[in-house]
Amino acid sequence: MSLMLLDSASLYFRAFFGVPDSLRAPSGTPVNAVRGLLDTIAWLATTHGPDRMVACWDDDWRPAFRVEAIPSYKAHRVAQEVPGTTGIEEVPETLLAQVPVIVEVLAALGIARVGVPGYEADDVIGTLTSRAVAEGAGPVDIVTGDRDLFQLVDDAAGVRVLYPARGIRDPDVVDEARLVERYGVASGQAYADMATLRGDPSDGLPGVPGVGEKTAAKLLAQYGTLAGILTARDSGDKGLTTTQRRRLLEADDYLKVAPVVVQVARDAPLPAFDPAVPKAPADPEALEALTAQWGLRSSVDRVRTAFGWA
């Protein structure tokens, strides 16, 4: 029973910037993100034929537990500070207006959409992947433009990432061999450790100054894990240079909390839902009304065909 997990925001952002905004509803409102996402779903269903598909959702784009660990986490993306929250994300207005339409169309189609308050879509994906692996209910394909999810790659469990660097029709299929080839690390966990050491300016993670991707991969090849590197640091292992040891010591406060931020949750409290690819629209009347209102006929028809609906 193959499972496909969609990093929804990653995919609709990609659609918004990749599909011309000349695609509009009869009212003149742009629907490029809506149509692009639907076309993506149709392509994925046709090409890969998953038995189960889940649109994983950012109920919280900047969870408090990550901000408490590292306050700079995604801070540069905050458009508006709101007391009692971690802020409102900067999103183009014409995309923001399309998100509720995406929600309604997914519901009418019957595609499971799952989010959890206080967690990102990455955490939903991490939890669903862990459940599938524990139950032997794979293989699992994760579709995302976010490299953070490479940490879930696991050949033995049949977990891989479809990373649309060149577009959704020609994704980079990321498995353990690809991690070795591209990053010099041999597992998803090693990728997470490398990402912790390297940091990520796009997420506001400073990393260990002076330790880039190649140095991090080399240290992981020597010591196996981040914990192994820190043990070597603290024991005076001669495999570390004086400079490397100093840099790792200076970054100790960061390294103590960074794994909480970098590693996806595997135990988010998910609601009950049915992940099966729908055999018919969940709400045919609503789907027809939305299709007409937003000018989605060709895209919805492609989804219908991909799902094998008469």
Side-chain angles (χ1 to χ4, degrees), residues 61-62 67 71-82 85-91:
W61 73 283
R62 190 174 179 242
V67 176
S72 62
Y73 180 64
K74 292 186 177 180
H76 60 293
R77 301 191 212 171
V78 175
Q80 182 182 343
E81 298 285 355
V82 178
T85 76
T86 55
I88 296 174
E89 185 180 14
E90 185 175 9
V91 179

Side-chain angles (χ1 to χ4, degrees), residues 93-107:
E93 287 295 328
T94 49
L95 171 56
L96 199 60
Q98 296 183 59
V99 175
V101 182
I102 291 170
V103 170
E104 289 185 291
V105 173
L106 291 176

Side-chain angles (χ1 to χ4, degrees), residues 57-61 63 65 116-121 123-124 265 267-269:
W57 210 257
D58 279 325
D59 270 16
D60 192 335
W61 73 283
F65 73 90
V116 181
Y119 292 88
E120 298 176 62
D123 302 311
V124 176
D267 58 354

Side-chain angles (χ1 to χ4, degrees), residues 130-172:
S130 293
R131 287 185 182 181
V133 171
E135 296 165 3
V140 180
D141 279 342
I142 299 164
V143 188
T144 180
D146 184 353
R147 294 186 301 168
D148 292 342
L149 288 165
F150 292 178
Q151 66 185 270
L152 296 173
V153 166
D154 184 340
D155 284 6
V159 181
R160 62 181 187 171
V161 171
L162 305 181
Y163 180 71
R166 298 172 299 276
I168 200 66
R169 295 185 177 225
D170 184 25
D172 191 1

Side-chain angles (χ1 to χ4, degrees), residues 104-260:
E104 289 185 291
V105 173
L106 291 176
L109 287 166
I111 296 171
R113 184 181 67 86
V114 180
V116 181
Y119 292 88
E120 298 176 62
D122 287 12
D123 302 311
V124 176
I125 291 170
T127 301
L128 288 172
T129 299
S130 293
R131 287 185 182 181
V133 171
E135 296 165 3
V140 180
D141 279 342
I142 299 164
V143 188
T144 180
D146 184 353
R147 294 186 301 168
D148 292 342
L149 288 165
F150 292 178
Q151 66 185 270
L152 296 173
V153 166
D154 184 340
D155 284 6
V159 181
R160 62 181 187 171
V161 171
L162 305 181
Y163 180 71
R166 298 172 299 276
I168 200 66
R169 295 185 177 225
D170 184 25
D172 191 1
V173 179
V174 182
D175 54 14
E176 289 176 3
R178 182 59 175 152
L179 291 179
V180 172
E181 176 189 0
R182 174 64 181 83
Y183 300 101
V185 295
S187 69
Q189 181 57 54
Y191 182 88
D193 287 346
M194 183 201 69
T196 299
L197 290 162
R198 175 198 65 198
D200 187 348
S202 69
D203 278 343
L205 300 178
V208 178
V211 176
E213 213 163 77
K214 290 182 179 178
T215 299
K218 180 181 177 183
L219 292 174
L220 287 165
Q222 283 179 261
Y223 299 109
T225 63
L226 176 58
I229 293 169
L230 298 182
T231 297
R233 177 199 68 182
D234 296 339
S235 67
D237 190 287
K238 296 187 184 302
L240 290 172
T241 68
T242 301
T243 299
Q244 288 170 342
R245 182 174 293 105
R246 175 177 55 78
R247 286 171 171 165
L248 289 166
L249 283 169
E250 289 173 350
D252 190 55
D253 287 346
Y254 163 78
L255 290 171
K256 285 177 178 175
V257 297
V260 173

